Amino acid sequence: YHLISAPVVDDDDRLVGVITIDDAMTVLDEEHEEDMLRLSGVNTDSRVSDSALATARQRLPWLVANLFTASLSAMVIAQFERTIATLVVLAALMPIVASTGGIAGTQALAVAGRALATRDLNRSTAPRVIRRELIAGVLNGLGLALILGLVGMLVFGDPRLGAVLAMARSEERRV
């Protein structure tokens, strides 16, 4: 209604106060900050005055989860030891593939997190959002695969390397 203030009433509809747009914006900012901290795996009660031990305790569960998923990635990479030994440059280029995959995942998470915070994501909209993110991921994966494959082929002069990089990029994005 474009109001700059609104009445606050109790259960008996008696006026108990007024909330201004400034107050509403303060609450909105606080909720936004809390959502962003939760998405990052940081305790919402964290403050700059917290001790190092308290901070470490709060972050450790997320870091352990990351360690577990990174270990799974290492096990998958180990399966390709012979291929990596044949094309040693692959070891140097693997972080590029992993990084773009991580950034794409973070982007999708940020969009979903915002949609959850604004209540735009619910049971009825979830299938459409998931489908959109999957299609966007495949399109971006194919585009980056083409770019990375061409760069790998032109810079290193090996069409096999370009093909491997392109396939790795497109497969990672589909996962």
Side-chain angles (χ1 to χ4, degrees):
Y1 299 113
H2 303 293
L3 299 174
I4 57 170
S5 64
V8 177
V9 296
D10 64 10
D11 291 336
D12 297 324
D13 288 333
R14 289 183 297 214
L15 184 66
V16 294
V18 175
I19 186 165
T20 65
I21 189 71
D22 295 340
D23 295 331
M25 292 306 293
T26 299
V27 170
L28 183 65
D29 286 343
E30 289 170 359
E31 288 296 319
H32 177 258
E33 178 186 358
E34 183 179 309
D35 291 343
M36 294 309 295
L37 289 171
R38 283 194 176 141
L39 283 173
S40 327
V42 176
N43 188 329
T44 56
D45 296 329
S46 294
R47 300 286 173 243
V48 292
S49 60
D50 289 350
S51 71
L53 184 60
T55 300
R57 277 191 196 137
Q58 292 168 0
R59 295 180 185 173
L60 187 61
W62 290 97
L63 295 170
V64 169
N66 182 62
L67 182 63
F68 175 74
T69 57
S71 297
L72 290 175
S73 295
M75 289 176 7
V76 170
I77 291 169
Q79 300 300 311
F80 297 95
E81 183 178 350
R82 193 174 309 158
T83 303
I84 293 170
T86 304
L87 291 166
V88 177
V89 72
L90 284 176
L93 296 173
M94 279 191 300
I96 295 171
V97 175
S99 174
T100 55
I103 291 169
T106 300
Q107 289 172 339
L109 178 64
V111 168
R114 182 181 183 282
L116 283 170
T118 60
R119 307 223 190 287
D120 289 337
L121 185 60
N122 53 46
R123 289 185 192 273
S124 64
T125 61
R128 183 179 55 80
V129 171
I130 292 169
R131 186 173 43 257
R132 182 193 68 198
E133 289 300 320
L134 285 172
I135 292 169
V138 168
L139 292 173
N140 283 335
L142 292 173
L144 288 171
L146 180 64
I147 292 168
L148 191 55
L150 287 172
V151 168
M153 186 173 64
L154 295 173
V155 171
F156 297 100
D158 188 345
R160 296 176 308 152
L161 177 62
V164 167
L165 290 172
M167 286 187 291
R169 181 65 211 128
S170 65
E171 283 303 314
E172 178 180 294
R173 189 59 197 130
R174 279 191 238 159
V175 172

